[in-house]
Amino acid sequence: MRPETTIPVVRRIPTNRQDAFAFTIEGHLTSADVENVYGLLEAAYEQHDRIDLLVKLDGYEGFDWNAAFKDTTLAMQTRSLKHIRRYAIVGGPTWVNVCANMLKPFLSIEMKTFDSAEEAEAWAWIGAKEVKE
């Protein structure tokens, strides 16, 4: 369990479009973190039939494998395919890029990976901007 004073692993990034969502993931994703992300996305799907999504993975340290294969997680992943228009992945370990590129032909969404240095290109690709608070 994480101490209350630590920064959350998953943080939402404000965007300039209501139908564009962005998150940064730093650290190790637990089952609760995965459910939190999908909960936020479920709320987005209630308001928007289609969304664009950007996920920054700088500092990403992996995830609990049991979280990835839970029935609820698999159901949420399937539901996401119906609602995500463009999905940009920024940074992260090499294996994330490899897996994303292997999955692309089988997905109904447009997905593209970007190096950390290409973050501006990723934002442009989804047609949104980060709003600094």
Side-chain angles (χ1 to χ4, degrees):
M1 192 156 147
R2 291 187 200 104
E4 292 294 320
T5 57
T6 62
I7 297 171
V9 171
V10 178
R11 292 185 315 278
R12 186 154 178 215
I13 301 169
T15 71
N16 66 331
R17 284 185 22 225
Q18 290 186 358
D19 63 343
F21 292 81
F23 299 95
T24 185
I25 300 175
E26 296 180 23
H28 185 86
L29 276 174
T30 65
S31 184
D33 295 321
V34 171
E35 288 183 22
N36 180 40
V37 169
Y38 280 115
L40 292 169
L41 291 174
E42 287 290 326
Y45 306 152
E46 294 295 322
Q47 295 178 357
H48 309 282
D49 186 47
R50 305 279 285 172
I51 66 167
D52 294 315
L53 178 64
L54 182 141
V55 177
K56 291 174 51 174
L57 296 176
D58 292 332
Y60 173 70
E61 298 173 359
F63 61 94
D64 291 341
W65 281 94
N66 62 341
F69 298 104
K70 286 173 58 175
D71 289 344
T72 54
T73 302
L74 294 172
M76 289 184 278
Q77 289 170 344
T78 301
R79 181 166 158 79
S80 291
L81 293 175
K82 297 175 187 172
H83 294 281
I84 296 175
R85 184 176 29 244
R86 284 194 162 184
Y87 179 23
I89 302 169
V90 180
T94 302
W95 67 264
V96 171
N97 185 9
V98 171
C99 289
N101 286 318
M102 285 176 33
L103 288 173
K104 271 199 272 191
F106 305 103
L107 299 176
S108 59
I109 63 175
E110 291 183 65
M111 182 169 45
K112 191 169 181 181
T113 59
F114 298 85
D115 290 332
S116 295
E118 300 173 315
E119 183 178 340
E121 290 89 342
W123 282 103
W125 186 72
I126 68 164
K129 294 180 182 176
E130 177 178 357
V131 175
K132 304 287 184 183
E133 294 183 306

